[in-house]
Amino acid sequence: MHDIYLDHAATTPVREEVFEAMKPYFDGTKIGNASSIHRYGRKVRVEIDKARRTVAKSIGARHDEIIFTSGGTEADNLAIRGTAVANRANGRHIISTNAEHHAVLHVLEQLEREGFEVTYLPVGVDGAVTTKEVETALRDDTILVTIMHGNNETGIVNPIAEIGEMLLTHQAVFHTDAVQSYAVLGLNVEQLRINLLSASAHKLNGPKGAGFLYVKNLTNVSPLSYGGEQEKKLRPGTENAAAIIGLESAVLLREAERTERYERYLTLKKMLLERLDANGVNYERNDFAADVTLPHIVNISFQGVPTEPLLAQLDLAGVAVSSGSACTAGSFQPSHVLQAMFGDDDERIKTSIRFSIGSTNTEQQVIDTADTLAKVTALIRSRLQTR
């Protein structure tokens, strides 16, 4: 069996078309600094402006509402910290959930140390928050609501459009981390009723180190760093032209193939689960109570099979999956998302892995993965029973 990569929620391989689009910015063909007024700089500026329009169109935004960043983490930090600092005269209360990505949770923890108050809404077994819960938590001094669109560990989708509609009459700025969702779903910022949206290139077969933050016109956000005039002064510094062009190329491919990818990912996910059933594997989906999920992610608990040896055995067999976010998976820490859903003592926290499908996966790979899981889980259970 050839190696099988099913960890596309962590990162995706760069497509050949994306690599080719980036090459001129490395081989000396396009060498200019986009801020320079000579012809070399102007050529690069034209390409960056075109990329900005492409990205804006993909989410129904204006081109001047797109701020290029180094990825999702920087975009989240700029959105959250930038909004908190810029609007603290209007209050110091923030609303989020206890199942956010660490790029959100850690900046919120830092803001708490600086005197801001954060309400972390619980998600429960369905993994999502409700509009009513957000409305109940709102206060006159709430300045920011930050809730992810699609969860990176479980694929569970929050009712962002409904929450955004409810917030229209409130002063709070509304941010959503859409890093996972943007890779596979058609998102429109006007329909979602949001002020800020974070996305990253390497989740959609683009380069690492590239992303963007949508900032709705007239939204008050302070920069995290200071320097030049680039990116409306919100992200100063010489633009990483190669990464931005790579992002644009990945976005164009995403737009052209989005419907096909969505249907294919759903088919492969269904096939994985059906093959597990056919093999008699004892498992439980951790999104069993969710109303809406992303097509490419499924988080599964294998009862009685600890995560660590399961990941190790799968890796030895050539199957790459993870226990959750790539930011923490290497340490085998319990998933804070599953803890938020099921509680600290639930067995699923210690027996779950995430499968995330991408454009390189085939039906045969999914079948081989399910067959391998049947053998590996049986082996581990047998070893544990004989101790």
Side-chain angles (χ1 to χ4, degrees), residues 33-50:
N33 183 324
S35 296
S36 299
I37 62 173
H38 50 62
R39 71 185 67 179
Y40 296 98
R42 292 199 304 272
K43 287 181 180 179
V44 175
R45 171 56 58 197
V46 167
E47 295 300 319
I48 289 177
D49 288 345
K50 182 169 69 71

Side-chain angles (χ1 to χ4, degrees), residues 18 22 25-26 69 201 206-211 240-248:
V18 174
M22 296 173 65
Y25 298 87
F26 294 113
T69 69
K208 298 173 182 64
N240 186 345
I244 291 170
I245 299 308
L247 167 62
E248 179 195 24

Side-chain angles (χ1 to χ4, degrees), residues 234-301:
L234 284 178
R235 211 277 186 173
T238 301
E239 295 96 339
N240 186 345
I244 291 170
I245 299 308
L247 167 62
E248 179 195 24
S249 179
V251 170
L252 289 170
L253 289 168
R254 164 197 175 275
E255 291 297 284
E257 303 171 358
R258 179 160 46 82
T259 300
E260 178 186 348
R261 289 190 197 186
Y262 185 93
E263 293 174 353
R264 179 169 176 76
Y265 295 165
L266 277 181
T267 298
L268 292 178
K269 182 160 71 170
K270 181 180 179 182
M271 184 176 294
L272 173 67
L273 298 170
E274 289 178 344
R275 188 73 174 191
L276 289 175
D277 291 334
N279 284 328
V281 178
N282 185 18
Y283 74 92
E284 182 176 9
R285 289 180 59 171
N286 290 326
D287 62 0
F288 66 93
D291 292 330
V292 185
T293 62
L294 297 176
H296 65 306
I297 296 175
V298 60
N299 196 299
I300 299 177
S301 170

Side-chain angles (χ1 to χ4, degrees), residues 9-10 19 36 102 110 121 195 200 226 294 325:
F19 179 64
S36 299
H102 283 113
Q110 177 59 34
L121 299 176
N195 304 97
S200 182
Y226 300 87
L294 297 176
S325 171

